[in-house]
Amino acid sequence: MPTVEFWFDFASTYSHVAAFRLPALAAAASVTVVPRPFLLGPLFTAQLGIRDSPFNVRPERGRYMWRDIERLSARHGVPFRRPSAFPRHSVLAARIGCAGEGQPWLPEFVRGVFAANFAEDRDIADRAVLRSLLEPLGAGAMAALDQAETPEVKLKLRANTEEATRLGLFGAPNFLVEGEHFFGQDRIADALDWSNGRKVG
């Protein structure tokens, strides 16, 4: 079965929309989605010289983004409520995502974290919040909470972020298919088509 890599940061609003749109679209296209969490912060610092979201640095962009997310969420049936804090720290959640690489519970955890952040206004940097998301997913998922603090997993997240830089990523979400890069939640269909050999351009 063809695959698409889904590169995201749990603090990314547009990744939230993508995470909820992906399952049905990928299933219909018979494509396997490979979650690849990384951190946008180091990219923004290196590329833009900022230590905050561009949507906060440029308020006019932020105003547009929040309204756009409201429209997209309503259109696609994605749960959404504007969080009281933005961006939230996503390091621990991303480390858990790295610890769960290849595990069957990971996609549900990914959606759970996005929902906690962008639909339930919960702090995804809070270990207790993440524990509550992992508990229903079983013992293997719970083990990832402790694994997230190991040097190996910390290095894995750092490696993902460095790989994102090497690949030329500049935001999120991204979809990678055999070296082809599709940026934005509105490029999901293009990435899935490419993975199935329907290549245009």
Side-chain angles (χ1 to χ4, degrees), residues 1-200:
M1 182 178 291
T3 62
V4 168
E5 293 184 359
F6 171 36
W7 290 74
F8 62 90
D9 186 320
F10 283 115
S12 162
T13 52
Y14 287 100
S15 295
H16 167 68
V17 175
F20 280 88
R21 293 189 63 206
L22 261 175
L25 293 172
S30 299
V31 172
T32 298
V33 175
V34 179
R36 296 293 301 272
F38 74 105
L39 300 177
L40 282 169
L43 271 68
F44 290 156
T45 299
Q47 296 172 0
L48 305 174
I50 61 175
R51 295 183 178 276
D52 197 353
S53 167
F55 296 121
N56 289 340
V57 174
R58 296 289 300 276
E60 66 279 10
R61 287 188 63 188
R63 287 190 294 271
Y64 174 83
M65 179 273 291
W66 288 118
R67 182 58 187 139
D68 195 36
I69 293 296
E70 289 176 348
R71 291 191 301 253
L72 288 168
S73 297
R75 176 182 179 182
H76 297 294
V78 173
F80 174 72
R81 176 163 54 118
R82 182 171 173 173
S84 56
F86 175 80
R88 284 196 165 110
H89 294 291
S90 58
V91 174
L92 181 55
R95 287 176 179 165
I96 293 171
C98 289
E101 185 176 285
Q103 297 301 310
W105 53 264
L106 182 56
E108 188 172 348
F109 172 74
V110 168
R111 290 190 296 276
V113 175
F114 277 117
N117 192 12
F118 291 115
E120 301 161 7
D121 196 17
R122 301 167 73 191
D123 185 1
I124 59 169
D126 187 329
R127 189 178 177 91
V129 169
L130 296 172
R131 180 183 296 276
S132 74
L133 299 175
L134 290 165
E135 282 178 340
L137 304 180
M142 285 298 295
L145 186 58
D146 292 329
Q147 293 167 6
E149 301 295 348
T150 64
E152 293 79 11
V153 170
K154 291 180 180 181
L155 285 173
K156 173 61 177 172
L157 178 56
R158 182 179 298 176
N160 275 9
T161 303
E162 291 173 351
E163 178 70 359
T165 299
R166 188 192 68 78
L167 290 167
L169 307 192
F170 49 84
N174 302 273
F175 307 94
L176 270 71
V177 185
E178 298 177 349
E180 289 290 329
H181 176 202
F182 300 86
F183 171 68
Q185 68 82 32
D186 57 343
R187 293 295 183 265
I188 294 175
D190 292 342
L192 296 174
D193 282 349
W194 195 277
S195 70
N196 276 315
R198 295 188 289 274
K199 302 178 180 180
V200 179

